[in-house]
Amino acid sequence: MKKAVTGFLLGCLLLSGSAALAAEPAGAAGKAENVKESAAKETLQDHAAVKSRGTMVYVPMDTRPVCKDYTVATMKAAGWDIMVPPEELLSSADRDGQPDKLLEWLEQNTTKAIAVVASADALIYGGLVDSRTHHIEPSVLQSRVERLLSLKKKVHSPDIYVFVTIMRSPKASAAPVEPVYYQEWGGKLFRHGALRDKVELQGLSRKENKELQELNRTIPRNVIADYYDRRRTNIRTSELLLHGIESDSFNYLLVGRDDTSPLSQAHKEARYMSSLVSNFSNSKIRFFSGADQLGLVLLTQAANRLTFTTPLVYTEFGNGKGGETVPTYEDDTVAESARQHIFAAGAFPSKNAATADYVLLVNTPYNGKTLEASDAKNNGVADKNTKAFADKVQSFIERGKKVIVSDSAYGNGADNALVKELFRRGLAYQVAAYGGWNTSGNTLGFALAQGMESPFYEGNAAKDLLTVRYLDDWAYQANARMDVYQHVIWPKQMPNSGFTPEQKRIAEAAIKESIIKVAEPVMGSVAKEYDFKLPWSRMFEVQPVKKD
């Protein structure tokens, strides 16, 4: 049972101590962690859970389902009232966000809530995509930061939780989610940044030095100038947000590293930002890989603090490389990512499964290499490692533990063999949460947060939220998406994104047919209860919408 302290006095004592519980152990790490865990268990043990619910204001980074609808649905299912800005103010597939109007809305509604969780990318640039493509004067960006920093000066201001991202540097992408020149020069820009990063970390070989010089000559100067000037502007703006921690304007700042890799411009900037973040108490700031999951992670931390709760989370990984896996699109080990996400969600890592409130099981590839979910090796056949992982899930469930499954074996979709094994064994709806979408950090953070909220779900909420994850992460992302590409999108010479209304109608019809074909043998007829929308008129994400 989730542990919490009842009574106002004990609640206040625990809340004041939550910073210490959320802080990462330093010095004699093992001993300190054991002492803190023991203290936490003694303090929290044998008390009934406090369901103190209220209204939280949430500003998502944009309107993508995972950032807005899925996140809001999770918190509402757990009993919270969530206020979000009007749709027309948020960044969407065909609309820039309205940062000044978002700030005005936030200032007007802050006092109505007991906590605020807000995307700085939305409030400063307009949204995540806007942060990569804007041409906003630094003075304007600074004024928006100052408005965000001033929120707590208002009467009866609630706790303020803010998240922001370090601009990604993908190997390949294109407009409208990147500047227009990225389709032609993106690969060379990525390599340029990787070599600049390697200069500082390891030094370059003679061949690499020549390559860097050639890239400097080849990439147009205006492209390099635009790309790096915006990145410098964004970093300086993120530095300003650190004053929110210094001045206690924010209760917590979460800095995410959007898609990155061990050698990249994003990694270079992350190293710099890490040196700044290290100057602050890690009870008030965290810095790790990911972007889309940050809102739900911080809402979960706010919920835990408001209910005077510090859950304990025990973590295990798949066989082989396990926690030492460095997933694709990330620059740190999955073990470190899991640890940081646990702290950021207002929880505490546990070394003891028996006394933990939750068991986080992270499915990792045996060789430590995360292929794309569309790869032929994701064939749905369970090998001994998949079966061993499913054995762990089953064993912990049979021991009465709340099990959270982060399916990080593949990028951009679920492990077919694992999902089928969970359904075959009747475990798919016994887990507290499941996630298997996009990057490993996205998956891990979202599943962890949904799992922590699961004890508060009422009615069919738990089953409905899990069904959406299986239909989205597994049936669509790991299967139907590529099927529709091969049989509809490519033969009809349709684009990957920017569909016309007719193209969107054709794609959505094909997606529904494909998902039903994939899901029915495993999940039964549940997929027929949903329509499947492309909210950003592109194939990257789908949104299962239950029929009335």
Side-chain angles (χ1 to χ4, degrees):
M1 182 177 184
K2 203 173 189 181
K3 286 81 178 175
V5 175
T6 57
F8 178 78
L9 179 59
L10 286 174
C12 291
L13 287 171
L14 180 55
L15 185 60
S16 66
S18 64
L21 285 171
E24 186 171 2
K31 183 177 180 181
E33 183 169 313
N34 288 336
V35 170
K36 286 182 180 179
E37 180 178 328
S38 176
K41 294 305 293 187
E42 289 173 9
T43 305
L44 299 172
Q45 205 164 329
D46 298 326
H47 292 281
V50 178
K51 291 190 176 182
S52 175
R53 296 296 184 259
T55 298
M56 288 194 270
V57 165
Y58 172 54
V59 181
M61 62 174 60
D62 53 43
T63 62
R64 285 173 297 151
V66 72
C67 299
K68 181 175 172 281
D69 292 351
Y70 292 169
T71 294
V72 170
T74 299
M75 299 309 296
K76 283 188 173 181
W80 296 95
D81 294 322
I82 306 297
M83 292 180 62
V84 294
E87 188 86 0
E88 64 269 18
L89 302 185
L90 297 169
S91 174
S92 70
D94 55 5
R95 181 184 62 241
D96 292 339
Q98 303 293 316
D100 293 317
K101 291 182 179 180
L102 280 171
L103 280 162
E104 182 180 349
W105 180 89
L106 182 59
E107 289 162 349
Q108 292 172 350
N109 288 280
T110 294
T111 56
K112 299 176 183 177
I114 54 178
V116 171
V117 175
S119 163
D121 289 315
L123 295 169
I124 296 171
Y125 309 106
L128 183 64
V129 171
D130 306 78
S131 74
R132 306 171 191 156
T133 58
H134 73 88
H135 291 92
I136 305 170
E137 289 295 324
S139 60
V140 175
L141 299 176
Q142 182 174 344
S143 70
R144 290 171 181 167
V145 172
E146 289 170 355
R147 288 178 71 178
L148 184 53
L149 291 172
S150 70
L151 272 179
K152 265 210 160 187
K153 295 178 182 177
K154 296 182 178 295
V155 178
H156 188 60
S157 179
D159 291 344
I160 309 291
Y161 301 81
V162 174
F163 59 104
V164 69
T165 61
I166 300 298
M167 187 174 164
R168 72 177 186 174
S169 52
K171 293 181 181 179
S173 190
V177 297
E178 303 291 343
V180 291
Y181 53 72
Y182 214 88
Q183 184 166 3
E184 181 177 359
W185 297 105
K188 286 183 168 57
L189 285 169
F190 175 84
R191 183 60 178 163
H192 190 265
L195 291 171
R196 283 161 49 95
D197 190 20
K198 192 175 182 182
V199 165
E200 298 179 4
L201 289 172
Q202 305 166 15
L204 300 181
S205 66
R206 182 178 299 179
K207 181 179 179 181
E208 288 169 330
N209 262 312
K210 288 182 177 179
E211 183 184 2
L212 181 56
Q213 292 170 13
E214 180 61 24
L215 287 171
N216 284 328
R217 287 191 295 268
T218 303
I219 304 173
R221 290 186 179 182
N222 65 312
V223 169
I224 285 185
D226 180 82
Y227 181 68
Y228 285 107
D229 283 352
R230 186 181 298 104
R231 300 191 76 95
R232 281 189 290 269
T233 296
N234 286 14
I235 287 292
R236 292 191 189 107
T237 303
S238 295
E239 287 182 59
L240 296 175
L241 289 169
L242 296 178
H243 294 308
I245 298 299
E246 290 179 316
S247 63
D248 288 327
S249 299
F250 304 151
N251 292 75
Y252 206 90
L253 177 63
L254 189 50
V255 185
R257 299 196 292 271
D258 200 3
D259 298 358
T260 186
S261 58
L263 286 176
S264 63
Q265 181 63 25
H267 181 252
K268 183 176 185 292
E269 292 163 0
R271 289 189 292 106
Y272 170 72
M273 183 58 69
S274 181
S275 68
L276 300 179
V277 169
S278 65
N279 294 320
F280 299 91
S281 168
N282 53 23
S283 68
K284 298 189 73 175
I285 188 169
R286 290 280 161 179
F287 182 39
F288 51 71
S289 295
D292 299 346
Q293 79 275 27
L294 302 183
L296 184 57
V297 169
L298 274 188
L299 283 165
T300 300
Q301 180 185 144
N304 280 329
R305 292 197 179 198
L306 287 166
T307 54
F308 312 118
T309 307
T310 305
L312 300 180
V313 182
Y314 173 78
T315 307
E316 280 193 16
F317 304 89
N319 290 343
K321 193 84 170 179
E324 294 307 305
T325 298
V326 178
T328 306
Y329 312 113
E330 299 187 4
D331 58 4
D332 215 338
T333 66
V334 70
E336 180 62 17
S337 178
R339 183 177 178 80
Q340 295 299 328
H341 275 88
I342 290 168
F343 283 119
F348 196 83
S350 171
K351 290 186 175 181
N352 188 339
T355 56
D357 298 287
Y358 300 95
V359 173
L360 172 63
L361 297 180
V362 185
N363 183 32
T364 47
Y366 185 82
N367 63 1
K369 298 185 183 301
T370 51
L371 303 172
E372 290 296 292
S374 58
D375 192 277
K377 291 184 179 179
N378 192 13
N379 57 20
V381 178
D383 61 15
K384 63 179 181 181
N385 297 310
T386 303
K387 292 177 181 178
F389 187 87
D391 287 343
K392 287 183 183 182
V393 176
Q394 185 166 350
S395 175
F396 280 117
I397 287 175
E398 289 174 350
R399 288 151 62 182
K401 307 307 294 186
K402 296 180 180 67
V403 176
I404 299 166
V405 176
S406 174
D407 189 357
S408 299
Y410 292 91
N412 290 310
D415 181 343
N416 278 315
L418 175 61
V419 172
K420 290 180 179 180
E421 192 71 8
L422 293 178
F423 274 95
R424 187 184 69 80
R425 298 187 187 201
L427 303 173
Y429 287 104
Q430 293 189 50
V431 298
Y434 168 88
W437 60 284
N438 215 347
T439 70
S440 175
N442 294 157
T443 285
L444 197 156
F446 210 85
L448 179 68
Q450 284 198 320
M452 284 189 192
E453 296 304 325
S454 65
F456 304 104
Y457 298 157
E458 295 183 357
N460 293 323
K463 184 176 182 180
D464 288 346
L465 289 171
L466 280 166
T467 295
V468 168
R469 295 269 54 85
Y470 292 126
L471 291 175
D472 189 335
D473 306 0
W474 169 63
Y476 178 70
Q477 294 192 36
N479 295 282
R481 178 163 54 188
M482 183 54 65
D483 178 55
V484 173
Y485 268 128
Q486 292 174 339
H487 295 97
V488 178
I489 303 298
W490 295 335
K492 291 182 178 294
Q493 298 183 327
M494 291 168 56
N496 295 335
S497 62
F499 292 146
T500 66
E502 177 61 14
Q503 288 172 334
K504 183 178 177 182
R505 185 194 65 76
I506 292 170
E508 287 177 345
I511 286 167
K512 182 172 183 176
E513 182 180 348
S514 182
I515 286 178
I516 290 173
K517 181 177 65 177
V518 169
E520 199 159 34
V522 177
M523 300 178 66
S525 62
V526 66
K528 293 179 180 178
E529 300 172 13
Y530 289 79
D531 288 321
F532 299 91
K533 304 298 183 181
L534 296 173
W536 274 42
S537 294
R538 63 181 187 178
M539 290 291 290
F540 188 74
E541 64 268 293
V542 76
Q543 183 173 14
V545 178
K546 198 167 189 179
K547 299 175 185 177
D548 293 333

